[in-house]
Structure formats: structure tokens, C-alpha cells
Amino acid sequence: MEQLSEASLQQGIKQREKGESEYRLVWKHLSRNRTAVLGMIVIASFILLAVFAPLLATHDPISTDLGNALQGPSSDHYFGTDELGRDLFSRMLFGARISLNIGLISVGIGLLFGIPLGALSGYYAGKLDLVIQRIIDIMIAFPGILLAIVVVTVLGVGVQNVMIATGIASIPIYARLVRGSVLSVKKQGYITAAKAGGMRDSRIVFFHILPNCIGPIIVQSTFQVATAILWAAGLGFLGLGAQPPTPEWGAILSRGRGYMRVAAYLTTIPGVAIFLMVLGFNLVGDGLRDALDPRSRNY
């Protein structure tokens, strides 16, 4: 038994050393991927704009001025003004904060509940797996955006409820992903050695299995942030998300569609911003997926 435990320890050390070098290889491959670098630049730009929104904003984002309503882009109003005379540039800056918060927090909710459910389902299998997977099947039966609409309808409109709704809609995605990864990893020899050495199940799952599932989780999280931002914009467009005067991109886009003939910029600018942010996360996700796959690397 002591020899088995020692062998398990030595294999664990090798895995850790391999993991450290693996991170360097992933970053090296990712930094050589031009589209991934472009995506990182786009994401970093939006993050900087969101963080420094109070400093960069030229006007109060919720202050109205009916005398300057529907004014086109100018030196005073870089992106023009909306139907209430509010500065669109300032509203877009603060809207970036809301979109990023929704994307990150909703993914956090999905991870918080999806990872434990998937880990329990994959590790213990049996009846517990059957019960969890049937619940997940019910959730997956609803398209993500439709499930989010149902949750928002139940909880009520508002930014916080949008975060909860999009987070709940992402839980089955993570549960299925983690379950599949756990089923694969738990068959490895070092997991068998850990069990034979008397290690507790919770320690095996959280310190030996899940760390080896981190790659797919990171890739999925990158894509899921983009999806959550898109869902939030869709809910805002339908009037189920942020409520006036909150400067949320989907809501700005929805209100601007009534003025497309006289002020097309009210829909074009928020639409382009949503497109670029979603594109940025998708490009990074594609790059991470390739970088984490050893078969696609050029050593």
C-alpha cells in the first residue's frame, strides 16, 4: 500500500510539472494565433472602456435634453443623441459595463452549479447520475434564450434577474461538459491509485479530477460569456432586461429601431458594439480550443 501511495505521489508530481509546462505551451500557441490575439485586443478594449467609463464619458448617461434630441454625431456628441437628447457615446460606455457584468456573472452562476452537478453525476454514476441527467434533459429541452425568458418572466424584469436567468440557462451546458470530462478522467491509473490509497472521494474529485478538466471548462466559459451577452441583449431588446433609464445595449437598440429612418446610428452603433464584443470572445474561444489541443500545435 505504501508503494502504491508513493507511486501515486510521484505521478502527481509529474502531472504538476507537466501542467506548468503545458500552460507555457498553451500561451505560446495562443499568442501566435492572429485571430485569437485580435479577439483579446477587442475584449481588452471593451474592458478598458468599461472600467474607465466615468472618466471617458462626456455627459451624464441618463441626463435628458429634449432640445438636443436626435442630433447626429458631432464634436460635442461623438455618437449623437437619442430621442430624449441623451448622449449615446456616454450611454454606450456605461452599457459596456452592464454587458460585461452580465456575461461574467451569468457564467459564474453556471460554473457554480454546473460543475458540482456534472462532477457528482460523472463520478458516482448510478441512480444519482440518472436523476441529475433527467433534470438536465428537461432544462436542455428548452432553447437557452427561451429558458432565460421563462426565468425572467417568473422573477421579473431587471438586470439582476437577467444575470440569474442567463446563469440558470447555462447550468446544463456545464453539467454535461463536466460529466463527460469526469467520466473520461476517472478511468486514469492515478485515480485508481488514489482510491486504493484511501483518499476521500471529495479530495479525488476536486484535487485530481477537476483540475484535469479545466481546459474544456475554460474554452466553454469563453464561448458562454459571448452567448450570455447575446442573450442579455436579446432580453433587453424585448423589454425583459434592463429598464429605462439604464443604458443597456439591447435596450438602446430596441428604442432606436423606431427612429431608423431619421437616426440610423441609434441602432447601428449598439448593434456593432454587440457584434464586436461577441466576436472577440468567440475568437479567443476558438484560439483556446486550438491551443489546448496538442494535435493542433506546431512545436
Side-chain angles (χ1 to χ4, degrees), residues 9 16 38 90 111 124 141 151 155-156 161 164 172 194 209 218-219 223 226 237 252 256 260 265 274 294 297:
L9 178 61
R16 181 177 300 177
L38 176 61
S90 301
L111 289 169
Y124 289 106
V151 175
L155 298 179
N161 290 339
I164 296 173
I209 294 181
I218 291 175
V219 173
F223 288 123
F237 185 84
I252 295 173
M260 290 186 65
Y265 59 87
I274 295 170
R297 297 176 189 163

Side-chain angles (χ1 to χ4, degrees), residues 111-298:
L111 289 169
L112 181 63
F113 293 96
I115 289 179
L117 286 174
L120 290 173
S121 182
Y123 186 78
Y124 289 106
K127 293 183 178 180
L128 180 61
D129 180 34
L130 182 64
V131 172
I132 293 176
Q133 290 309 307
R134 295 300 75 77
I135 295 174
I136 297 301
D137 286 340
I138 294 173
M139 297 179 69
I140 290 179
F142 294 90
I145 184 64
L146 181 58
L147 180 59
I149 291 174
V150 171
V151 175
V152 168
T153 303
V154 173
L155 298 179
V157 299
V159 174
Q160 292 182 346
N161 290 339
V162 168
M163 295 177 184
I164 296 173
T166 52
I168 291 175
S170 65
I171 289 175
I173 298 173
Y174 286 107
R176 279 288 178 86
L177 174 66
V178 173
R179 176 181 178 270
S181 299
V182 170
L183 286 173
S184 176
V185 174
K186 77 174 186 178
K187 298 177 182 178
Q188 301 297 320
Y190 65 93
I191 300 299
T192 303
K195 289 181 179 179
M199 188 174 293
R200 291 178 299 177
D201 288 344
S202 59
R203 186 172 181 82
I204 292 174
V205 171
F206 288 101
F207 290 94
H208 291 277
I209 294 181
L210 287 181
N212 288 285
C213 305
I214 196 68
I217 293 174
I218 291 175
V219 173
Q220 182 59 50
S221 296
T222 307
F223 288 123
Q224 198 58 35
V225 170
T227 302
I229 292 172
L230 201 57
W231 286 350
L235 292 173
F237 185 84
L238 295 174
L240 299 175
Q243 297 301 295
T246 305
E248 193 272 327
W249 288 352
I252 295 173
L253 183 63
S254 178
R255 294 180 66 88
R257 62 177 174 167
Y259 304 92
M260 290 186 65
R261 293 187 177 182
V262 295
Y265 59 87
L266 289 178
T267 54
T268 302
I269 292 175
V272 170
I274 295 170
F275 166 77
L276 290 176
M277 185 175 286
V278 171
L279 178 64
F281 279 103
N282 283 333
L283 291 177
V284 173
D286 284 333
L288 282 172
R289 183 173 55 192
D290 293 339
L292 290 168
D293 183 3
R295 294 170 298 181
S296 66
R297 297 176 189 163
N298 295 319

Side-chain angles (χ1 to χ4, degrees), residues 13-142:
I13 294 173
K14 291 181 179 178
Q15 288 286 336
R16 181 177 300 177
E17 293 176 349
K18 181 180 178 181
E20 291 176 354
S21 60
E22 185 72 11
Y23 291 136
R24 289 195 293 268
L25 289 173
V26 168
W27 172 249
K28 183 179 180 180
H29 183 85
L30 187 64
S31 62
R32 290 179 177 177
N33 189 323
R34 294 183 179 180
T35 56
V37 172
L38 176 61
M40 288 188 286
I41 292 173
V42 171
I43 294 172
S45 299
F46 277 113
I47 291 175
L48 290 174
L49 290 174
V51 170
F52 296 104
L55 299 177
L56 298 174
T58 56
H59 297 76
D60 187 335
I62 62 174
S63 178
T64 61
D65 183 6
L66 295 177
N68 285 321
L70 299 178
Q71 297 294 316
S74 64
S75 58
D76 190 34
H77 300 282
Y78 301 145
F79 290 167
T81 61
D82 64 8
E83 73 281 3
L84 297 179
R86 295 174 296 195
D87 182 65
L88 185 58
F89 175 73
S90 301
R91 290 178 64 78
M92 290 298 298
L93 289 176
F94 282 91
R97 279 186 163 189
I98 296 173
S99 293
L100 286 170
N101 281 334
I102 291 175
L104 296 175
I105 293 176
S106 63
V107 166
I109 294 172
L111 289 169
L112 181 63
F113 293 96
I115 289 179
L117 286 174
L120 290 173
S121 182
Y123 186 78
Y124 289 106
K127 293 183 178 180
L128 180 61
D129 180 34
L130 182 64
V131 172
I132 293 176
Q133 290 309 307
R134 295 300 75 77
I135 295 174
I136 297 301
D137 286 340
I138 294 173
M139 297 179 69
I140 290 179
F142 294 90

